[in-house]
Amino acid sequence: MYINYWKNIFNYNNSSKFSHFLMNMLINIVILFIIILSGFIVPYEWENTVVNIYYFVLFIMILPTISMIVRVFKNKKTI
């Protein structure tokens, strides 16, 4: 399901379930939490790099999230 979330990054035409949206958001939060936790493991000199990676991943996750929100609203509209 999470792979399809990324495959449909620019798909605004289909519809999606709200439960899929919640599951994908939970996976996103876990991934971001793992990146944050890695900041405690890496040496002090790498902390800025970890923060930059965190912001980059967060920014990239916005695109499929927006398309998923649009698909969920389309699904609610058709019901």
Side-chain angles (χ1 to χ4, degrees):
M1 175 176 41
Y2 193 69
I3 293 172
N4 288 333
Y5 168 72
W6 282 98
K7 284 182 181 178
N8 292 321
I9 192 168
F10 296 112
N11 181 6
Y12 295 98
N13 296 326
N14 294 342
S15 61
S16 296
K17 294 182 178 181
F18 185 69
S19 61
H20 292 168
F21 172 74
L22 289 178
M23 189 59 143
N24 290 325
M25 291 303 102
L26 181 65
I27 294 171
N28 281 348
I29 290 169
V30 168
I31 290 171
L32 292 172
F33 188 69
I34 290 171
I35 294 172
I36 289 172
L37 286 179
S38 71
F40 293 112
I41 299 169
V42 299
Y44 179 73
E45 295 82 23
W46 293 6
E47 285 184 2
N48 285 336
T49 304
V50 171
V51 171
N52 290 338
I53 290 170
Y54 174 81
Y55 285 133
F56 179 74
V57 170
L58 184 64
F59 179 73
I60 294 300
M61 285 180 175
I62 289 173
L63 296 173
T65 302
I66 290 172
S67 84
M68 185 74 154
I69 290 171
V70 168
R71 289 194 311 266
V72 167
F73 278 127
K74 283 190 175 196
N75 188 27
K76 295 294 182 189
K77 205 174 190 181
T78 60
I79 294 179

